[in-house]
Amino acid sequence: MNDHPPSAAPVRAELLALLAEAAAAPPGWSGRVTADSRLDADLLLDECELGALAALLHEHFGERADLARLRAGLDLDALAALTVGDLERELLPPGGPAPDRPGPGRPTAGGPR
Amino acid sequence: MSRFLLVVPPLAGHIHPTVGLAGELAARGHQVAWSGSEAVLRPLLGPDAEVLATGSRVFRAQSGHGLAALRTLWEGFVVPYARFTAKALDRAVLDYRPDVVLVDQHTPAGALVAHRHGLHWASLAPGAMELGRPYRALPKVESWMTDQLTALWLRAGLPPRQYTDPRFSPELLLALTGRALTGPQSFPEHFALVGPVLTARPADPLFPWRELAPGRRRVLLSMGTLADDVSADFHARAVRALELLGGEVQAVITAPPGSLPRLPPGTVAVERAPVLELMARGLLDAVVCHGGMNTVGEALSHGIPLVVAPIRHDQPFVAAQVTAAGAGVRVPFARVSPEGLAAALRTVLDDPAYRAAAAATGAGLRSGGGARTAADRLEQLAGMPPNGGNLLV
């Protein structure tokens, strides 16, 4: 997933908040999160925390923000490379929370769960 | 009388429970031997145990977290260890002529050898790594694991059409856990969830029993035998958390020598602790651990609440089950602050509901029967007719 140039662009505040909530992170943790932060090796989110993040994304951005489906279609290398920027691009609607607005398009992920 | 061969990896957490299993089988008049690394097995089993050595070599240390840890578990240990031990295990089976081979899920070569010789074999699941399928939501990761097992099967020269997942015996799987820690999923009839093996272990004369201060609540901090590489930073935060708790709590910390910062007065730090004895004598009020099945099962079986800081593999799921049972609190290993860890410890120490839930959950685990039920099931398997012909007979 991480085949785009490194980005210093700030991460959307609402996504940072959901990441911090899923990670049960202490104050200040989200200040170190960038679009290039990998969910696995940099943020050290485990499968349970990623499950919590998937539920939060669904709750805040609607059913098209389907992290579980996105990850289910990835192999080990792609999962290891998955970044916060990938989530913004693949899952979040442009501009902010809008559960009834169409998302940015489905990722190529698929497969049974 | 039957003969049982136990195939185990060179990991203390996997070997310890087999000591109790073997003791129960031996008490019933059976013969038991281990096959594996004698350099690791001998100190844990003692001079009288029969060990059929497979040789020893150093395997790549597991990476700390997440998917990197999963990759090094398989590519750095499970697969190369299976290749390394294949021939020696074959010789061990031919020499010992067991009626049943009990195979740890992370030593698949044992299952391949047993299958080749037409022997009964049972799987041993010390944890929930394979049993609980923590990567069930990631089908490409699960198939990556299966592909490696299939390659081992073919490399062993076994017929492709007979492929059987060497982690899961079709006849018997002994899991040292219980439904309280595996979640709501159902298992086939031949999966026996026997709970932890609580057989007393040899006394540890070196443990400083006299340093256990009366009148203080006592916490065991044990982050497992695999996690030394990533536990140093956690230990520093944990020691700060203990300082925040003040003099009312005494900690017993198991960690390698020299790996800990300056400790609060009265702290007992040892490389290994007689955990079961500490628990059985009622000397622990809470346990902080990484969520390894052995420690969690043993603590709950003694009604001791937990603070679980999971590091990798099945540990996050075990931590989630402990939390769901109300028997403990989960904290994020990589991120918990000293203040957060101190608060979690205060919670399980002060709120009697956690101790009550731990006792209730532990009663469920104990009802699995431990080593007795495991031995019953292994005896039943030994008494069954050969699978299409024991080729050793």
Side-chain angles (χ1 to χ4, degrees):
Chain A
M1 295 294 296
N2 193 16
D3 54 357
H4 52 86
S7 166
V11 180
R12 280 163 60 172
E14 61 266 41
L15 179 56
L16 282 178
L18 299 186
L19 283 164
E21 183 176 348
W29 175 82
S30 58
R32 298 191 296 275
V33 177
T34 73
D36 294 322
S37 299
R38 292 167 297 178
L39 303 183
D40 179 56
D42 296 323
L43 303 188
L44 304 175
L45 299 180
D46 64 38
E47 288 300 314
C48 290
E49 290 159 345
L50 288 163
L53 178 62
L56 289 167
L57 285 166
H58 184 274
E59 181 184 330
H60 283 74
F61 295 106
E63 63 183 21
R64 294 196 175 200
D66 192 342
L67 176 59
R69 181 174 165 78
L70 171 66
R71 296 184 74 244
L74 303 180
D75 63 17
L76 199 56
D77 289 334
L79 285 162
L82 192 65
T83 65
V84 172
D86 291 330
L87 301 196
E88 282 193 305
R89 195 167 36 259
E90 300 286 349
L91 301 181
L92 267 57
D100 51 358
R101 189 190 306 173
R106 294 299 325 140
T108 54
R113 277 176 293 153
Chain B
M1 190 276 291
S2 299
R3 295 162 73 82
F4 295 90
L5 181 64
L6 314 185
V7 179
V8 291
L11 303 167
H14 291 239
I15 296 167
H16 277 311
T18 67
V19 177
L21 286 180
E24 180 68 24
L25 290 167
R28 299 180 184 198
H30 301 296
Q31 290 188 17
V32 181
W34 284 261
S35 192
S37 163
E38 185 163 20
V40 177
L41 284 166
R42 186 61 67 194
L44 297 172
L45 302 179
D48 299 327
E50 184 168 3
V51 175
L52 293 94
T54 57
S56 301
R57 56 168 276 197
V58 175
F59 291 91
R60 187 163 25 129
Q62 279 195 56
S63 298
H65 294 270
L67 298 168
L70 179 69
R71 188 185 283 283
T72 53
L73 170 66
W74 280 86
E75 295 180 351
F77 176 69
V78 172
V79 170
Y81 189 75
R83 291 177 175 171
F84 176 69
T85 56
K87 284 184 181 171
L89 281 171
D90 210 69
R91 282 196 303 275
V93 163
L94 289 170
D95 289 346
Y96 191 68
R97 308 178 81 80
D99 298 294
V100 171
V101 185
L102 179 61
V103 186
D104 187 287
Q105 287 188 304
H106 284 165
T107 51
L112 305 183
V113 168
H115 183 88
R116 173 182 297 119
H117 293 293
L119 296 170
H120 292 300
W121 59 281
S123 299
L124 178 64
M129 183 59 181
E130 311 306 323
L131 187 72
R133 293 181 55 207
Y135 296 100
R136 66 175 59 222
L138 305 174
K140 291 188 177 180
V141 172
E142 287 208 324
S143 64
W144 169 79
M145 292 187 258
T146 306
D147 288 348
Q148 295 178 81
L149 294 168
T150 307
L152 286 173
W153 182 275
L154 297 176
R155 187 178 184 273
L158 298 173
R161 61 183 158 64
Q162 291 181 13
Y163 177 75
T164 305
D165 188 328
R167 297 170 298 178
F168 296 96
S169 162
E171 295 189 299
L172 175 63
L173 182 143
L174 297 175
L176 308 182
T177 184
R179 298 205 175 277
L181 295 178
T182 58
Q185 64 185 308
S186 59
F187 296 109
E189 191 65 26
H190 68 284
F191 282 26
L193 276 59
V194 303
V197 173
L198 300 170
T199 311
R201 295 176 191 146
D204 183 352
L206 298 178
F207 186 77
W209 295 100
R210 288 183 187 173
E211 294 180 27
L212 301 184
R216 293 173 74 181
R217 295 193 288 183
R218 200 165 294 107
V219 171
L220 172 71
L221 173 62
S222 172
M223 299 309 289
T225 51
L226 285 176
D228 296 346
D229 54 333
V230 291
S231 57
D233 174 61
F234 181 84
H235 278 141
R237 286 176 277 143
V239 167
R240 176 67 189 131
L242 293 168
E243 289 171 348
L244 293 171
L245 289 169
E248 64 169 309
V249 172
Q250 180 181 31
V252 176
I253 304 178
T254 63
S259 68
L260 297 170
R262 197 165 64 84
L263 298 169
T267 303
V268 175
V270 289
E271 188 164 13
R272 285 187 191 144
V275 171
L276 274 180
E277 191 174 354
L278 283 164
M279 292 175 175
R281 289 170 62 174
L283 293 169
L284 297 178
D285 298 286
V287 170
V288 182
C289 72
H290 60 317
M293 193 64 84
N294 284 346
T295 310
V296 168
E298 289 162 3
L300 294 177
S301 293
H302 291 89
I304 302 168
L306 292 146
V307 173
V308 186
I311 303 172
R312 56 195 168 202
H313 300 329
D314 57 329
Q315 296 159 5
F317 293 87
V318 174
Q321 296 302 323
V322 170
T323 304
V329 172
R330 174 200 162 110
V331 296
F333 174 85
R335 293 176 293 276
V336 67
S337 64
E339 293 77 13
L341 185 55
L345 261 171
R346 271 199 202 94
T347 298
V348 300
L349 285 168
D350 292 347
D351 184 345
Y354 286 93
R355 181 163 280 271
T361 309
L365 292 175
R366 279 178 178 267
S367 71
R372 282 198 314 280
T373 302
D376 290 345
R377 298 293 292 256
L378 287 168
E379 283 180 327
Q380 287 170 17
L381 183 57
M384 289 172 66
N387 286 333
N390 178 341
L391 305 180
L392 296 179
V393 175

